[in-house]
Each structure stands twice: as structure tokens, then as C-alpha cells.
Amino acid sequence: MGSKPGKGSYHHGELRESLIAAGLAILEEGGDPSALGLREAARRAGVSAMAPYRHFPDKDALLAAVATVGFERLRAALEAADGGGEGREALYAQGAAYVAFACAQPGLFRLMFGARSGGVRPEALCLASAAAYAVLSERVAALVPAESAAEEALRSWALVHGIASLAIDGMIGEAARTDPQAAAALAERLLRLETLPR
Amino acid sequence: MGSKPGKGSYHHGELRESLIAAGLAILEEGGDPSALGLREAARRAGVSAMAPYRHFPDKDALLAAVATVGFERLRAALEAADGGGEGREALYAQGAAYVAFACAQPGLFRLMFGARSGGVRPEALCLASAAAYAVLSERVAALVPAESAAEEALRSWALVHGIASLAIDGMIGEAARTDPQAAAALAERLLRLETLPR
DNA sequence: ACCTGAACACCGTTCAAGT
DNA sequence: ACCTGAACACCGTTCAAGT
């Protein structure tokens, strides 16, 4: 009711969303983004292997669409962690949430930063990643002098992104790789460290 | 002369090294580590598609062997950058070299941190990555109190790894992605930043 | 001991149809 | 407008041979 009745067997426009949802489900089952394939996504959506080509020009386009959802989720996680709190603690909470997100969804996280559709990142993907970064960079901007805000934000991003990457690749230890809470706690500890003494 | 003569058409033991060299060559042609396949490596080594299975149990094992060479090269690059110099400047030089390495060989860099052979990292790969990390962590240990050395080293590693990862994924800008010198300069700038003022 | 060739089950993609 | 089916060129891997 609401949409045209009498069809039934068609996906009546939902197939695109079904394929993205299937992609997210595939990525949740393991950390390997190469497990997400066009045919497997079509299989899970209950549709023929060629049907996805009616909604995505190629595999990279599906990957980019899934990655875009990933950045929207990351942005939501960062906003929730920030909590509108005040100052430095909000920044630390964002960093912990960033690392916990990667650790909880390593396949999605790897895809988000590896998905370049034919060498070029689609605009929707750029917008979604910029929106996620804005949550972090605005928090940093509220803490430091305006002239160094851009570089401080980039530095904070690089630090949490490095922790997240090393953690999910198992370079820091088994606990940091498999336990989002442990990884988040490590991130908070490293964020609180002072710079090397002069 | 030196090895048994009269063979000629055999690779007489060099095939393993030829395949690793072919793998490195493939990775140098583009940033995508999935371009490195067993059949393509065999093709470049001038050998049948099945020959690699005499030297590697599966594809992951070849990837791990190539990644191991990558970590040996990274260790050499860090040692050369450190230059036995003194103190903080040597650390900054290592960070810049780390990022320049990733930017110059993005395919190899991605493989190094993504290669888990059947879920488990081979021992040679672990040793090679630990040796590279030791160059950085020993430099940090010479700069900070012993009780915080481990965390300070991990923090420095995460920061340069994050810069490197974001740079090769094109998240920082085109210059940082394609120009190793520009990426290295950015890394040095971020390493010199003080922490946020209290 | 080391390599080859045919075969199998996948995959992304193109083309010609189906309703 | 949206989906299907057959076909093509790949890929990793297994098996049975070849020298």
C-alpha cells in the first residue's frame, strides 16, 4: 500500500538497497573486503547474476556505494561519542570510537579507505568521508589556535587511523585486533600521551 | 660454473626468487595488491601456471614472501634515514622515510600490512616486520624515559602509519598521494607539532 | 626433484533476449 | 523499465602425467 500494487515478483526499486545491504552483510562475516563480489551480493538479494548491472555500472560502483554507507555510520559513531561534551575528553572519546568502529567492522573499514571506483572516488563517497572527518576536525578546531587547527586535525586523524589500521591488521596484538573495547582503550591511552620532552 | 652444469632449461632453484621478483615488479606497476596473482607471476617468470605450487603451498604464501621482502626494504630505508644521527631529528627523518616508502610503493605497502597467510602470519614475515619496527622503537627508546618508551614508540608508529595510509589512499590530497617528497614533508611537519595545549 | 597440461569451480563482464 | 540466460576470458587449485 502506497506503492503500485499488483507487481509482487519485482524488487520494484528496492534492489539497489538490497544489494548494498547484502554487501554490508558479507563484510560483517570477515575482515576481507575481497569477499564482497557482485555475484555473491546478487545471490543474497535473490536475483540473477546480471541484475546488479541495472543499478551499478560495475563492481567498483557497488563497492563505493557500500563504502559510502560505511562513512555515514562512522560519522554517526563519532557524533555519538563526542556527545556534545566539552573539550579534550570529547576528542579522546571520538578517537576511541573511531578505533572501535574499525575493530568491530574491519572488512567495511578496509573497503572504505580502499574503494576507488576506476581510479576516481565518486562524489557521494567524497561527501560522506568529508562529513565524517568534519566531526573530528571541528572538535579539534574548538581546542587549538585557528592557525594550526587544520594541521592538528590532520594529525589527530592520522594517529587514530594508524592505530585502527595497525590494530585490525594484527600488528599490535590479538586483543587489539579482536576486541573493540581493548582497541578503544589503547587508542585513548595513546591519545593522552604527551609529546617527547625537549 | 659453481652450480651443476648441463641443465639449461631448468630454473635450477631460482624459480622461487624469480616469482618473488615478478611479484615485486607487478606491485610496482600499480597500487592495487590484488593485481599480484599466481598465474601472472608464473607468466612473468616464464613458467607454467602450476610451477609456483612446487615452491609455495598457495597464493597467500607467495604474497607473504613478497611482503617479507617489503619489510626488509622498509627496515633498510629506516636505517638509512636514521643515519646514526642523534636524537629527535633522526626520528623525524625515519618518519619521513616511512611515509615516502609507502608513497613510492603503495601496492607493496598495502600488501605488507594486509598479508595474512590463511589467517596466520608466517614466521619470516613476523620477524621482518619486527626488525623494521625495532629500528623505530630503538630510536624512540633513546629519547624518552624507559617506562613510557613502549607506548611512545607505538604512538610514533601509529602516527606515521596513519599518515602513510591516508596519503596513499588519496585522503590527504593528490600531491601527498603521488609525490613521495611531498608526503614526506607533510609527515615531518605533523611529527613536529606539539600536542594540544592544556 | 621439478615442471607441464587438462580440468573444475569460481569470478566480472558483454550480448541478446524475455516480460 | 527491469530482469534472465548463455557465453567469454579470466582466476586459484587439484590431479594425473611427463623427464
Side-chain angles (χ1 to χ4, degrees):
Chain A
M1 24 180 96
S3 59
K4 297 166 193 168
K7 274 307 199 42
S9 79
Y10 267 155
H11 264 278
H12 44 89
E14 294 175 15
L15 181 52
R16 191 190 149 90
E17 273 63 40
S18 294
L19 289 167
I20 294 174
L24 289 165
I26 292 168
L27 291 178
E28 269 167 26
E29 289 168 15
D32 187 9
S34 74
L36 169 43
L38 222 37
R39 291 180 107 111
E40 178 63 21
R43 220 171 278 131
R44 299 210 185 196
V47 96
S48 89
M50 302 305 101
Y53 284 95
R54 291 295 116 202
H55 299 272
F56 301 99
D58 55 17
K59 183 189 178 182
D60 283 343
L62 171 61
L63 298 189
V66 174
T68 300
V69 175
F71 275 113
E72 288 164 359
R73 289 186 180 180
L74 176 59
R75 176 182 52 83
L78 295 181
E79 274 172 358
D82 187 279
E86 41 186 319
R88 189 174 311 275
E89 291 302 319
L91 177 61
Y92 295 157
Q94 276 199 43
Y98 190 102
V99 174
F101 178 91
C103 197
Q105 299 244 13
L108 180 58
F109 184 81
R110 288 196 181 96
L111 176 69
M112 286 159 58
F113 291 93
R116 48 203 147 287
S117 178
V120 180
R121 222 175 281 272
E123 195 185 1
L125 180 56
C126 288
L127 291 175
S129 66
Y133 181 56
V135 179
L136 188 121
S137 67
E138 281 167 16
R139 172 53 63 192
V140 172
L143 288 170
V144 301
E147 81 256 17
S148 64
E151 286 199 327
E152 289 284 3
L154 185 51
R155 182 168 159 286
S156 292
W157 187 25
L159 180 56
V160 294
H161 189 76
I163 297 167
S165 299
L166 294 173
I168 65 178
D169 285 339
M171 307 299 287
I172 295 179
E174 224 25 43
R177 190 175 72 84
T178 55
D179 180 7
Q181 291 207 2
L186 173 64
E188 270 219 48
R189 235 180 304 135
L190 295 184
L191 280 166
R192 288 178 194 280
L193 275 182
E194 295 291 316
T195 43
L196 305 177
R198 180 132 231 150
Chain B
M1 28 179 90
S3 60
K4 297 169 193 167
K7 272 311 198 41
S9 77
Y10 267 155
H11 263 278
H12 44 88
E14 294 174 15
L15 181 53
R16 190 190 150 89
E17 272 65 39
S18 295
L19 289 167
I20 293 173
L24 289 165
I26 293 167
L27 291 179
E28 269 166 27
E29 290 168 15
D32 187 8
S34 74
L36 168 44
L38 223 36
R39 291 179 108 112
E40 178 63 21
R43 220 171 276 132
R44 301 210 185 195
V47 95
S48 89
M50 303 305 101
Y53 285 95
R54 292 296 116 202
H55 299 273
F56 300 98
D58 55 17
K59 183 189 179 183
D60 284 342
L62 171 61
L63 297 189
V66 174
T68 301
V69 175
F71 275 113
E72 288 164 359
R73 289 186 180 180
L74 176 59
R75 177 181 52 84
L78 295 180
E79 275 172 356
D82 187 278
E86 41 187 317
R88 189 174 313 273
E89 291 301 319
L91 177 61
Y92 295 157
Q94 277 200 42
Y98 190 102
V99 173
F101 177 91
C103 196
Q105 299 243 14
L108 181 57
F109 184 83
R110 288 197 181 95
L111 176 68
M112 287 160 57
F113 291 94
R116 48 204 151 287
S117 177
V120 181
R121 223 176 280 272
E123 195 185 1
L125 180 57
C126 288
L127 291 175
S129 65
Y133 181 56
V135 179
L136 188 120
S137 66
E138 282 167 15
R139 173 53 64 194
V140 173
L143 290 171
V144 301
E147 81 255 17
S148 63
E151 286 199 328
E152 288 284 3
L154 184 51
R155 182 167 159 286
S156 293
W157 187 24
L159 180 57
V160 295
H161 188 77
I163 297 167
S165 299
L166 293 173
I168 65 178
D169 285 339
M171 307 298 288
I172 295 180
E174 225 21 47
R177 190 176 72 84
T178 56
D179 180 5
Q181 291 207 4
L186 173 63
E188 270 219 48
R189 235 180 305 133
L190 295 184
L191 280 165
R192 288 178 194 278
L193 276 183
E194 295 290 317
T195 44
L196 306 177
R198 179 131 231 151

